[in-house]
Amino acid sequence: MTNRPQRFLALAQLANSVGDGAFYVTSALYFTRVVGLAPARVGLGLTLAWAVGSLVGVPLGRIADRRGARGTAVLLALGTAAAVGSFLLARGFVPFVLAACAYASAQSGLAAARQALLAGLVPAGERTGLLARLQSTLNAGLAVGAALGGLALNAGTAGAYRAVLMLDAVCFVVCALILLRLPAVAPATAVATPGGRREQRFAVLRDRPYALLALLNAVLLLRLPLLSLALPLWITERTGAPAWLASALFVLNTGVVTLFQVRAARAVTGPATAVRALRRSGVVMFVSCAVFALSAGRSAWPAAVILVAGAVLQVVAEMQQSAGSWQLSFDLAPADRMGEYQGFFGTGVTVARTLGPLVVTSLLMGWGTPGWLLLGALMPVAACAMGPAARRAAGRAGRKVTEPALAG
């Protein structure tokens, strides 16, 4: 990666992902053991927080478009640092929910602003490749952060958990400082529609083809709770495989994405290749779910072999789906509303994280093998529907295609 803006975008990604990795593996125990919340209340609070985050992503992305993506991203990175720090002061459910809402809102807005910044600094033909490199960087940072969080888990003290929160806050401050070194992107200006009227605010909410793409992408993202929630429960309750295999599958996924996401994205160069990648990902994901289902009732080693095979297929599908969705999300969004559109498209991740655990655990733990097959069948259906939705989005009138200009 020789381009200076791309290097700084990657360094910013690495900085905050290290902090996030440490936070992810320790936060549940901090909130239950140190703050003193019941697990059910932690889950409820985080669900409320991410629901709020999904609502504010679009307006914060709109601010990035109109006020400048770099400045907005820097402020939201600092806001995320402050929100993480506020967890240290939370005593009780209401302060926890307020801090969690601030955290989720800042994270959602930061993601949209960074996508808008990337769109302004990187030529269209290079964006998917860069996003693949950023995804690899993200996974590497999460792995390092998770290892640091493991040290806190081993210590098991309140001081160790608080140190992780301080580390995460510091990492977001470092992220903000790195983003500040990037060139500024000139704010977009509102343009007139073909009929002479100025575009309405939050046009993405009325852009039905793009909204459909975001919805279908949210369905494909139901894979997100598999490694973190569904498979650990499935392994311990429905198979004879050792419980530590859940951790091994997570490490496998992280390592493969780190090493091969860039290679997987090279074939995706435009909407047509993106749609083909998404169709392949849907089929492979269905096969992955069917393989996972075969592990039911198996003894330790046969179950382990089947689960590893399913995990390999799952990560192949994941890399194809990521590359295809990145390409479509940028190519089919107007250049002067990139933050707004990316904020909306990014709500798919929030929706999957909010509703996914309930949907996935109900299907898999409640229905067993039929649940795996039903979940798997959703994937090729949603993936194939992305093609017609993308064609409709690409064919709508009044699309602005010029690139944002650098300020100064």
Side-chain angles (χ1 to χ4, degrees):
M1 193 184 303
T2 58
N3 187 282
R4 185 171 180 268
Q6 295 188 23
R7 287 201 305 272
F8 280 119
L9 286 168
L11 287 173
Q13 180 75 83
L14 180 64
N16 73 253
S17 62
V18 169
D20 277 343
F23 177 75
Y24 292 157
V25 299
T26 59
S27 58
L29 292 181
Y30 172 77
F31 294 136
T32 54
R33 295 182 180 180
V34 179
V35 180
L37 299 174
R41 292 206 129 193
V42 173
L44 174 61
L46 292 177
T47 297
L48 292 173
W50 284 111
V52 171
S54 68
L55 295 176
V56 303
V58 172
L60 288 175
R62 180 69 171 166
I63 291 172
D65 290 330
R66 294 293 174 248
R67 300 299 180 184
R70 186 188 66 174
T72 304
V74 169
L75 289 176
L76 288 169
L78 294 175
T80 306
V84 172
S86 69
F87 283 129
L88 294 168
L89 306 176
R91 295 293 182 271
F93 180 67
V94 173
F96 160 70
V97 171
L98 293 176
C101 286
Y103 172 79
S105 299
Q107 283 273 49
S108 296
L110 176 59
R114 285 166 71 161
Q115 296 290 70
L117 182 59
L118 183 151
L121 295 174
V122 180
E126 300 177 18
R127 290 171 189 163
T128 297
L130 175 58
L131 284 166
R133 291 191 287 272
L134 293 180
Q135 186 70 11
S136 297
T137 302
L138 170 67
N139 278 267
L142 289 175
V144 172
L148 296 174
L151 298 177
L153 292 175
N154 186 58
T157 64
Y161 293 133
R162 292 191 179 102
V164 167
L165 290 176
M166 289 187 285
L167 170 66
D168 195 18
V170 168
C171 285
F172 274 99
V173 172
V174 173
C175 172
L177 294 175
I178 295 172
L179 291 173
L180 195 59
R181 298 188 64 184
L182 287 164
V185 175
T189 55
V191 298
T193 64
R197 294 177 291 116
R198 291 175 69 83
E199 291 183 89
Q200 296 176 306
R201 290 185 177 183
F202 309 137
V204 67
L205 300 179
R206 289 172 289 276
D207 191 337
R208 293 181 180 177
Y210 196 90
L212 179 58
L213 281 174
L215 175 62
L216 293 170
N217 189 60
V219 173
L220 296 176
L221 289 172
L222 288 176
R223 60 173 171 76
L224 289 176
L226 286 181
L227 286 173
S228 61
L229 179 63
L231 280 173
L233 293 173
W234 178 264
I235 288 169
T236 55
E237 296 185 18
R238 296 298 184 92
T239 78
W244 57 260
L245 183 63
S247 176
L249 295 180
F250 183 86
V251 172
L252 171 67
N253 178 276
T254 302
V256 171
V257 171
T258 301
L259 294 174
F260 298 108
Q261 179 67 76
V262 174
R263 183 178 301 178
R266 285 176 184 162
V268 179
T269 57
T273 53
V275 167
R276 285 198 292 271
L278 286 164
R279 286 172 178 165
R280 287 194 300 269
S281 77
V283 173
V284 175
M285 193 65 205
F286 172 75
V287 177
S288 171
C289 289
V291 170
F292 281 135
L294 293 175
S295 65
R298 306 276 183 176
S299 58
W301 283 111
V305 171
I306 292 171
L307 289 165
V308 169
V312 170
L313 291 167
Q314 187 270 330
V315 74
V316 170
E318 173 185 336
M319 292 188 294
Q320 292 288 317
Q321 184 268 326
S322 295
S325 63
W326 293 332
Q327 187 76 37
L328 292 182
S329 72
F330 279 103
D331 282 1
L332 302 178
D336 64 315
R337 292 177 175 266
M338 196 62 72
E340 178 183 338
Y341 271 63
Q342 291 303 310
F344 184 75
F345 200 84
T347 59
V349 175
T350 307
V351 169
R353 286 176 173 169
T354 303
L355 301 179
L358 176 62
V359 173
V360 169
T361 53
S362 297
L363 282 177
L364 305 187
M365 304 312 298
W367 293 13
T369 296
W372 275 113
L373 296 177
L374 179 57
L375 176 65
L378 287 174
M379 301 303 172
V381 171
C384 289
M386 292 284 267
R391 285 191 290 273
R392 285 188 60 200
R396 62 189 180 275
R399 176 47 44 98
K400 185 177 175 64
V401 296
T402 57
E403 297 289 332
L406 296 184

